[in-house]
């Protein structure tokens, strides 16, 4: 009877030990999963990066086109003056 009371008294204390052991045992798996997550690119990240790249390219092409158009108009104005 006495041993039953001791076991009941110790039961709440072992719960913390069990969860600590579980956390220590699963830590390498969680760390490995985090490394894989950091080293791989998800489809949404890939799409976002592609969209950003295309917007930058379109902006650059737009600036170049406006610059060429401005130069063409300037050249036409010079040709009319001559």
């Amino acid at each position: 009877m006495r041993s039953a009371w001791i076991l009941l008294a110790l039961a709440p204390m072992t719960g913390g030990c069990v969860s600590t052991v579980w956390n220590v045992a699963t830590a390498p798996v969680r760390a490995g999963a985090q490394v894989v997550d950091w080293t791989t690119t998800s489809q949404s990240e890939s799409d976002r990066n592609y969209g950003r790249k295309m917007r930058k390219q379109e902006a650059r092409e737009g600036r170049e086109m406006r610059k060429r158009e401005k130069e063409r108009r300037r050249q036409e104005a010079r040709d009319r003056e001559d």
Side-chain angles (χ1 to χ4, degrees):
M1 183 74 174
R2 186 176 211 177
S3 62
W5 287 108
I6 292 173
L7 287 175
L8 285 174
L10 292 177
M13 292 181 215
T14 60
C17 294
V18 171
S19 67
T20 301
V21 169
W22 178 260
N23 289 337
V24 170
T26 59
V29 174
R30 289 193 313 263
Q34 186 65 44
V35 168
V36 168
D37 188 41
W38 285 337
T39 58
T40 58
T41 304
S42 69
Q43 187 62 44
S44 63
E45 288 174 317
S46 179
D47 292 344
R48 184 182 61 231
N49 293 339
Y50 179 75
R52 182 179 299 132
K53 178 182 170 186
M54 293 309 295
R55 285 191 302 276
K56 285 182 179 182
Q57 180 179 346
E58 289 172 355
R60 184 174 49 249
E61 289 171 353
R63 285 191 302 269
E64 291 171 358
M65 187 173 62
R66 286 190 299 274
K67 184 178 178 181
R68 284 193 304 268
E69 181 64 22
K70 185 177 179 180
E71 184 60 35
R72 184 186 64 79
R73 289 180 183 175
R74 188 176 294 147
Q75 185 64 37
E76 286 178 358
R78 277 189 236 139
D79 289 346
R80 279 183 267 154
E81 289 176 0
D82 292 340

